[in-house]
Amino acid sequence: RHGQAPRIVDWLIAHRKIEPIVGLFLEPYLPGQPDNHEGPPMRSFLTQEASAWLASRYAVTARAEQWAVLAISYGAKDAVDAALAPAQTYGKLGLIIPGRRLTPDDLERYAQQPGRRLQVAILAGLYDQANLATAWNVRRTLAGAGHAVDYIEVPEGHNPSTWRNHLRDVLVSLFGIPDTQ
């Protein structure tokens, strides 16, 4: 409720940069805190509970190719896991300055899953020395597995202004309306 994401989504829709979407924004959590939900509990939440809750309250499509899961930093691993889960809830994946919690072994395991082709947008910060290699690995691995990957690298670091300044680019990559001019 306090972030800029809802305003960015509203602006993009109002200016016909993206098709109308419904967004569910989850509160961030901190690594190592006892109330974290990651791994199988997060996958279950994202692929079953959250999607069922949205469908029960809004007129949303049931077509997975129109559903996206986006994550920032630490949450990238859970987003990739949910996007490639057997439930096939999502057809789009957005990763914003993905954190190194998403390991090369994780990526190889996810890339081995047959039959899934996602539309992926990755935003990386050129000056994010701790995580830039992760973004490169995600790009290489997912593109190599046949996913459609749009890689956006900006001359910024790993901070809230990077995702706030470039969330627009990720959303347009995933939901953009082609220019008619």
Side-chain angles (χ1 to χ4, degrees):
R1 293 184 179 148
H2 305 290
Q4 295 296 314
R7 291 180 59 205
I8 293 167
V9 170
D10 288 345
W11 189 93
L12 290 170
I13 293 169
H15 288 86
R16 301 190 41 77
K17 300 296 181 187
I18 64 171
E19 54 191 79
I21 62 173
V22 174
L24 174 63
F25 301 96
L26 304 174
E27 292 292 326
Y29 57 97
L30 299 173
Q33 296 300 314
D35 60 344
N36 279 348
H37 301 286
E38 55 189 43
M42 181 58 84
R43 180 185 325 112
S44 175
F45 173 74
L46 291 172
T47 61
Q48 297 169 17
E49 297 171 45
S51 55
W53 183 87
L54 280 170
S56 73
R57 285 164 177 75
Y58 300 97
V60 295
T61 182
R63 295 176 31 219
E65 64 269 15
Q66 294 299 314
W67 281 69
V69 59
L70 281 72
I72 299 168
S73 188
Y74 186 85
K77 181 175 180 173
D78 295 312
V80 173
D81 187 48
L84 292 171
Q88 298 189 12
T89 305
Y90 303 100
K92 301 173 189 256
L93 171 65
L95 301 175
I96 302 167
I97 52 176
R100 60 192 176 277
R101 178 174 164 248
L102 185 56
T103 68
D105 289 341
D106 294 328
L107 290 170
E108 289 301 326
R109 186 176 67 254
Y110 294 138
Q112 302 297 324
Q113 296 179 351
R116 299 295 314 280
R117 295 298 169 252
L118 299 172
Q119 181 181 348
V120 180
I122 302 166
L123 173 70
L126 181 61
Y127 305 133
D128 180 8
Q129 292 304 307
N131 298 295
L132 188 57
T134 298
W136 292 340
N137 284 336
V138 173
R139 171 182 160 187
R140 178 188 50 78
T141 304
L142 293 181
H147 301 285
V149 177
D150 184 12
Y151 182 80
I152 306 159
E153 193 172 88
V154 297
E156 296 180 33
H158 193 93
N159 59 65
S161 25
T162 300
W163 77 258
R164 187 173 46 249
N165 292 343
H166 300 285
L167 173 61
R168 173 189 196 275
D169 301 327
V170 172
L171 290 170
V172 168
S173 174
L174 296 174
F175 296 103
I177 297 173
D179 269 341
T180 56
Q181 299 177 352

PDB file of all heavy atoms in Angstrom, residues 57-77:
ATOM      1  N   ARG A  57     -12.541 -13.044  -6.721  1.00  0.00           N
ATOM      2  CA  ARG A  57     -12.902 -11.648  -6.462  1.00  0.00           C
ATOM      3  C   ARG A  57     -12.907 -10.752  -7.701  1.00  0.00           C
ATOM      4  O   ARG A  57     -13.498  -9.681  -7.684  1.00  0.00           O
ATOM      5  CB  ARG A  57     -11.946 -11.055  -5.426  1.00  0.00           C
ATOM      6  CG  ARG A  57     -12.267 -11.559  -4.036  1.00  0.00           C
ATOM      7  CD  ARG A  57     -11.130 -11.314  -3.069  1.00  0.00           C
ATOM      8  NE  ARG A  57     -11.457 -11.737  -1.715  1.00  0.00           N
ATOM      9  CZ  ARG A  57     -11.501 -12.993  -1.298  1.00  0.00           C
ATOM     10  NH1 ARG A  57     -11.256 -13.975  -2.146  1.00  0.00           N
ATOM     11  NH2 ARG A  57     -11.789 -13.285  -0.044  1.00  0.00           N
ATOM     12  N   TYR A  58     -12.226 -11.177  -8.746  1.00  0.00           N
ATOM     13  CA  TYR A  58     -12.103 -10.339  -9.935  1.00  0.00           C
ATOM     14  C   TYR A  58     -12.380 -11.165 -11.184  1.00  0.00           C
ATOM     15  O   TYR A  58     -12.191 -12.378 -11.202  1.00  0.00           O
ATOM     16  CB  TYR A  58     -10.689  -9.745 -10.034  1.00  0.00           C
ATOM     17  CG  TYR A  58     -10.333  -8.885  -8.853  1.00  0.00           C
ATOM     18  CD1 TYR A  58      -9.589  -9.397  -7.796  1.00  0.00           C
ATOM     19  CD2 TYR A  58     -10.760  -7.568  -8.779  1.00  0.00           C
ATOM     20  CE1 TYR A  58      -9.271  -8.608  -6.693  1.00  0.00           C
ATOM     21  CE2 TYR A  58     -10.450  -6.780  -7.683  1.00  0.00           C
ATOM     22  CZ  TYR A  58      -9.709  -7.310  -6.644  1.00  0.00           C
ATOM     23  OH  TYR A  58      -9.403  -6.538  -5.557  1.00  0.00           O
ATOM     24  N   ALA A  59     -12.797 -10.483 -12.224  1.00  0.00           N
ATOM     25  CA  ALA A  59     -13.045 -11.131 -13.507  1.00  0.00           C
ATOM     26  C   ALA A  59     -11.713 -11.256 -14.243  1.00  0.00           C
ATOM     27  O   ALA A  59     -11.380 -10.444 -15.094  1.00  0.00           O
ATOM     28  CB  ALA A  59     -14.045 -10.328 -14.325  1.00  0.00           C
ATOM     29  N   VAL A  60     -10.938 -12.255 -13.865  1.00  0.00           N
ATOM     30  CA  VAL A  60      -9.628 -12.469 -14.472  1.00  0.00           C
ATOM     31  C   VAL A  60      -9.679 -13.693 -15.375  1.00  0.00           C
ATOM     32  O   VAL A  60     -10.475 -14.613 -15.168  1.00  0.00           O
ATOM     33  CB  VAL A  60      -8.522 -12.634 -13.401  1.00  0.00           C
ATOM     34  CG1 VAL A  60      -8.341 -11.349 -12.616  1.00  0.00           C
ATOM     35  CG2 VAL A  60      -8.815 -13.792 -12.466  1.00  0.00           C
ATOM     36  N   THR A  61      -8.826 -13.694 -16.350  1.00  0.00           N
ATOM     37  CA  THR A  61      -8.752 -14.819 -17.270  1.00  0.00           C
ATOM     38  C   THR A  61      -8.215 -16.065 -16.564  1.00  0.00           C
ATOM     39  O   THR A  61      -7.446 -15.964 -15.606  1.00  0.00           O
ATOM     40  CB  THR A  61      -7.853 -14.471 -18.479  1.00  0.00           C
ATOM     41  OG1 THR A  61      -7.837 -15.586 -19.378  1.00  0.00           O
ATOM     42  CG2 THR A  61      -6.425 -14.169 -18.040  1.00  0.00           C
ATOM     43  N   ALA A  62      -8.598 -17.206 -17.061  1.00  0.00           N
ATOM     44  CA  ALA A  62      -8.067 -18.466 -16.546  1.00  0.00           C
ATOM     45  C   ALA A  62      -6.871 -18.925 -17.385  1.00  0.00           C
ATOM     46  O   ALA A  62      -6.246 -19.928 -17.062  1.00  0.00           O
ATOM     47  CB  ALA A  62      -9.159 -19.535 -16.561  1.00  0.00           C
ATOM     48  N   ARG A  63      -6.552 -18.192 -18.443  1.00  0.00           N
ATOM     49  CA  ARG A  63      -5.471 -18.574 -19.354  1.00  0.00           C
ATOM     50  C   ARG A  63      -4.114 -18.267 -18.735  1.00  0.00           C
ATOM     51  O   ARG A  63      -3.765 -17.115 -18.499  1.00  0.00           O
ATOM     52  CB  ARG A  63      -5.631 -17.844 -20.679  1.00  0.00           C
ATOM     53  CG  ARG A  63      -6.893 -18.273 -21.414  1.00  0.00           C
ATOM     54  CD  ARG A  63      -7.159 -17.516 -22.702  1.00  0.00           C
ATOM     55  NE  ARG A  63      -5.970 -17.091 -23.385  1.00  0.00           N
ATOM     56  CZ  ARG A  63      -5.868 -15.909 -23.995  1.00  0.00           C
ATOM     57  NH1 ARG A  63      -6.847 -15.053 -23.995  1.00  0.00           N
ATOM     58  NH2 ARG A  63      -4.753 -15.592 -24.615  1.00  0.00           N
ATOM     59  N   ALA A  64      -3.337 -19.299 -18.482  1.00  0.00           N
ATOM     60  CA  ALA A  64      -2.030 -19.147 -17.829  1.00  0.00           C
ATOM     61  C   ALA A  64      -1.113 -18.205 -18.592  1.00  0.00           C
ATOM     62  O   ALA A  64      -0.337 -17.466 -17.979  1.00  0.00           O
ATOM     63  CB  ALA A  64      -1.363 -20.511 -17.664  1.00  0.00           C
ATOM     64  N   GLU A  65      -1.205 -18.198 -19.920  1.00  0.00           N
ATOM     65  CA  GLU A  65      -0.298 -17.341 -20.688  1.00  0.00           C
ATOM     66  C   GLU A  65      -0.534 -15.850 -20.432  1.00  0.00           C
ATOM     67  O   GLU A  65       0.299 -15.022 -20.773  1.00  0.00           O
ATOM     68  CB  GLU A  65      -0.365 -17.654 -22.196  1.00  0.00           C
ATOM     69  CG  GLU A  65      -1.703 -17.367 -22.830  1.00  0.00           C
ATOM     70  CD  GLU A  65      -2.663 -18.545 -22.825  1.00  0.00           C
ATOM     71  OE1 GLU A  65      -2.441 -19.523 -22.091  1.00  0.00           O
ATOM     72  OE2 GLU A  65      -3.659 -18.480 -23.566  1.00  0.00           O
ATOM     73  N   GLN A  66      -1.633 -15.508 -19.802  1.00  0.00           N
ATOM     74  CA  GLN A  66      -1.917 -14.117 -19.455  1.00  0.00           C
ATOM     75  C   GLN A  66      -1.582 -13.778 -17.996  1.00  0.00           C
ATOM     76  O   GLN A  66      -1.732 -12.647 -17.573  1.00  0.00           O
ATOM     77  CB  GLN A  66      -3.385 -13.795 -19.736  1.00  0.00           C
ATOM     78  CG  GLN A  66      -3.736 -13.847 -21.203  1.00  0.00           C
ATOM     79  CD  GLN A  66      -2.930 -12.829 -22.003  1.00  0.00           C
ATOM     80  OE1 GLN A  66      -2.798 -11.678 -21.613  1.00  0.00           O
ATOM     81  NE2 GLN A  66      -2.362 -13.268 -23.115  1.00  0.00           N
ATOM     82  N   TRP A  67      -1.176 -14.779 -17.228  1.00  0.00           N
ATOM     83  CA  TRP A  67      -0.828 -14.575 -15.818  1.00  0.00           C
ATOM     84  C   TRP A  67       0.684 -14.415 -15.687  1.00  0.00           C
ATOM     85  O   TRP A  67       1.448 -15.130 -16.337  1.00  0.00           O
ATOM     86  CB  TRP A  67      -1.261 -15.785 -14.987  1.00  0.00           C
ATOM     87  CG  TRP A  67      -2.721 -15.801 -14.662  1.00  0.00           C
ATOM     88  CD1 TRP A  67      -3.747 -15.987 -15.542  1.00  0.00           C
ATOM     89  CD2 TRP A  67      -3.309 -15.632 -13.382  1.00  0.00           C
ATOM     90  NE1 TRP A  67      -4.942 -15.949 -14.880  1.00  0.00           N
ATOM     91  CE2 TRP A  67      -4.706 -15.737 -13.541  1.00  0.00           C
ATOM     92  CE3 TRP A  67      -2.798 -15.416 -12.105  1.00  0.00           C
ATOM     93  CZ2 TRP A  67      -5.593 -15.621 -12.484  1.00  0.00           C
ATOM     94  CZ3 TRP A  67      -3.688 -15.312 -11.056  1.00  0.00           C
ATOM     95  CH2 TRP A  67      -5.063 -15.404 -11.243  1.00  0.00           C
ATOM     96  N   ALA A  68       1.093 -13.508 -14.825  1.00  0.00           N
ATOM     97  CA  ALA A  68       2.521 -13.293 -14.580  1.00  0.00           C
ATOM     98  C   ALA A  68       2.797 -13.300 -13.091  1.00  0.00           C
ATOM     99  O   ALA A  68       1.956 -12.906 -12.287  1.00  0.00           O
ATOM    100  CB  ALA A  68       2.966 -11.956 -15.169  1.00  0.00           C
ATOM    101  N   VAL A  69       3.975 -13.741 -12.761  1.00  0.00           N
ATOM    102  CA  VAL A  69       4.491 -13.598 -11.399  1.00  0.00           C
ATOM    103  C   VAL A  69       5.773 -12.790 -11.521  1.00  0.00           C
ATOM    104  O   VAL A  69       6.613 -13.065 -12.375  1.00  0.00           O
ATOM    105  CB  VAL A  69       4.706 -14.971 -10.705  1.00  0.00           C
ATOM    106  CG1 VAL A  69       5.682 -15.856 -11.460  1.00  0.00           C
ATOM    107  CG2 VAL A  69       5.123 -14.794  -9.259  1.00  0.00           C
ATOM    108  N   LEU A  70       5.874 -11.742 -10.702  1.00  0.00           N
ATOM    109  CA  LEU A  70       7.045 -10.878 -10.687  1.00  0.00           C
ATOM    110  C   LEU A  70       7.641 -10.890  -9.294  1.00  0.00           C
ATOM    111  O   LEU A  70       6.910 -11.023  -8.308  1.00  0.00           O
ATOM    112  CB  LEU A  70       6.674  -9.431 -11.023  1.00  0.00           C
ATOM    113  CG  LEU A  70       6.448  -9.079 -12.482  1.00  0.00           C
ATOM    114  CD1 LEU A  70       5.163  -9.645 -13.009  1.00  0.00           C
ATOM    115  CD2 LEU A  70       6.472  -7.573 -12.646  1.00  0.00           C
ATOM    116  N   ALA A  71       8.932 -10.739  -9.229  1.00  0.00           N
ATOM    117  CA  ALA A  71       9.601 -10.693  -7.926  1.00  0.00           C
ATOM    118  C   ALA A  71      10.809  -9.788  -8.003  1.00  0.00           C
ATOM    119  O   ALA A  71      11.406  -9.595  -9.062  1.00  0.00           O
ATOM    120  CB  ALA A  71      10.015 -12.086  -7.483  1.00  0.00           C
ATOM    121  N   ILE A  72      11.143  -9.287  -6.834  1.00  0.00           N
ATOM    122  CA  ILE A  72      12.303  -8.420  -6.700  1.00  0.00           C
ATOM    123  C   ILE A  72      13.333  -9.138  -5.832  1.00  0.00           C
ATOM    124  O   ILE A  72      12.991  -9.712  -4.796  1.00  0.00           O
ATOM    125  CB  ILE A  72      11.903  -7.097  -6.022  1.00  0.00           C
ATOM    126  CG1 ILE A  72      10.868  -6.370  -6.870  1.00  0.00           C
ATOM    127  CG2 ILE A  72      13.117  -6.213  -5.770  1.00  0.00           C
ATOM    128  CD1 ILE A  72      10.211  -5.214  -6.165  1.00  0.00           C
ATOM    129  N   SER A  73      14.586  -9.132  -6.264  1.00  0.00           N
ATOM    130  CA  SER A  73      15.735  -9.557  -5.476  1.00  0.00           C
ATOM    131  C   SER A  73      15.572 -10.956  -4.881  1.00  0.00           C
ATOM    132  O   SER A  73      15.549 -11.947  -5.590  1.00  0.00           O
ATOM    133  CB  SER A  73      16.016  -8.501  -4.391  1.00  0.00           C
ATOM    134  OG  SER A  73      17.215  -8.781  -3.717  1.00  0.00           O
ATOM    135  N   TYR A  74      15.465 -11.025  -3.569  1.00  0.00           N
ATOM    136  CA  TYR A  74      15.402 -12.285  -2.824  1.00  0.00           C
ATOM    137  C   TYR A  74      14.265 -13.190  -3.311  1.00  0.00           C
ATOM    138  O   TYR A  74      14.389 -14.403  -3.323  1.00  0.00           O
ATOM    139  CB  TYR A  74      15.230 -11.961  -1.333  1.00  0.00           C
ATOM    140  CG  TYR A  74      15.288 -13.145  -0.403  1.00  0.00           C
ATOM    141  CD1 TYR A  74      16.505 -13.620   0.066  1.00  0.00           C
ATOM    142  CD2 TYR A  74      14.112 -13.771   0.037  1.00  0.00           C
ATOM    143  CE1 TYR A  74      16.559 -14.696   0.941  1.00  0.00           C
ATOM    144  CE2 TYR A  74      14.167 -14.851   0.906  1.00  0.00           C
ATOM    145  CZ  TYR A  74      15.394 -15.307   1.360  1.00  0.00           C
ATOM    146  OH  TYR A  74      15.446 -16.365   2.218  1.00  0.00           O
ATOM    147  N   GLY A  75      13.161 -12.597  -3.733  1.00  0.00           N
ATOM    148  CA  GLY A  75      11.998 -13.370  -4.144  1.00  0.00           C
ATOM    149  C   GLY A  75      12.106 -13.993  -5.524  1.00  0.00           C
ATOM    150  O   GLY A  75      11.219 -14.751  -5.933  1.00  0.00           O
ATOM    151  N   ALA A  76      13.185 -13.716  -6.270  1.00  0.00           N
ATOM    152  CA  ALA A  76      13.313 -14.245  -7.632  1.00  0.00           C
ATOM    153  C   ALA A  76      13.240 -15.762  -7.667  1.00  0.00           C
ATOM    154  O   ALA A  76      12.614 -16.341  -8.546  1.00  0.00           O
ATOM    155  CB  ALA A  76      14.612 -13.756  -8.264  1.00  0.00           C
ATOM    156  N   LYS A  77      13.874 -16.425  -6.721  1.00  0.00           N
ATOM    157  CA  LYS A  77      13.861 -17.892  -6.703  1.00  0.00           C
ATOM    158  C   LYS A  77      12.435 -18.415  -6.574  1.00  0.00           C
ATOM    159  O   LYS A  77      12.043 -19.342  -7.279  1.00  0.00           O
ATOM    160  CB  LYS A  77      14.732 -18.425  -5.569  1.00  0.00           C
ATOM    161  CG  LYS A  77      14.782 -19.941  -5.517  1.00  0.00           C
ATOM    162  CD  LYS A  77      15.753 -20.423  -4.462  1.00  0.00           C
ATOM    163  CE  LYS A  77      15.780 -21.947  -4.425  1.00  0.00           C
ATOM    164  NZ  LYS A  77      16.837 -22.439  -3.532  1.00  0.00           N
TER     165      LYS A  77
END
